[in-house]
């Protein structure tokens, strides 16, 4: 019997919107996603998000605001070998030190950050991952809290 590797990640992501633009993170040479990262054992999602923003962008002070929704995805990372199960909590975050008029400086060499107009078309064209948020993030931000899953019901 073939046993496939599966890993689980609990993630907290920031939705930072200013002047109609959203802050996006990009793994250099790879994919785009919302800023944030893994929640460590014994750490709350909001605390993890503040820690990740400090590590990634040097943000000393931010306000983690309303909960926007949760996303659950199960993807094949390596065909027929490894899978990733991810549970992600999305929060609206306010950061006074960031503005769309200046490019945010990454503190991590493998990441870049950029601002883009916040709309479904851009989320799709920039292929912001996970794909399930591309069409749903604007409605989440407008206040429709949802549980979004790539699993079929």
């Amino acid at each position: 019997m073939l046993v496939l590797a599966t890993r689980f990640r609990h993630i907290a992501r920031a939705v930072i919107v200013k002047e109609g633009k959203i802050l996006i993170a990009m793994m250099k040479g790879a994919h785009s996603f919302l800023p944030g990262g893994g929640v460590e054992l014994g750490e709350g999602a909001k605390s993890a998000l503040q820690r990740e923003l400090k590590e990634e962008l040097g943000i000393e002070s931010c306000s983690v605001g309303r909960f926007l929704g949760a996303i659950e995805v199960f993807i094949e990372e390596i065909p027929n070998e490894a899978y990733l199960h991810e549970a992600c909590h999305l929060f609206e975050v306010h950061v006074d030190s960031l503005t769309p008029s200046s490019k945010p400086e990454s503190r991590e060499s493998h990441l870049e950050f950029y601002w883009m107009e916040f709309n479904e078309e851009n989320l799709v064209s920039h292929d912001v991952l996970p794909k399930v948020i591309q069409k749903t993030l604007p409605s989440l931000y407008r206040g429709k809290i949802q549980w979004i899953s790539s699993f079929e019901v």
Side-chain angles (χ1 to χ4, degrees), residues 6 53 79-80 89 99 142 150:
T6 303
L53 292 174
N80 301 313
H89 291 91
T99 63
R142 288 190 301 270
S150 66

Side-chain angles (χ1 to χ4, degrees), residues 24-33 110-114 126:
I24 301 294
M26 183 176 73
M27 185 82 63
K28 288 182 179 177
H31 58 277
S32 295
F33 52 94
H110 65 285
L111 295 178
E112 293 179 335
F113 294 87
Y114 63 94
H126 288 249

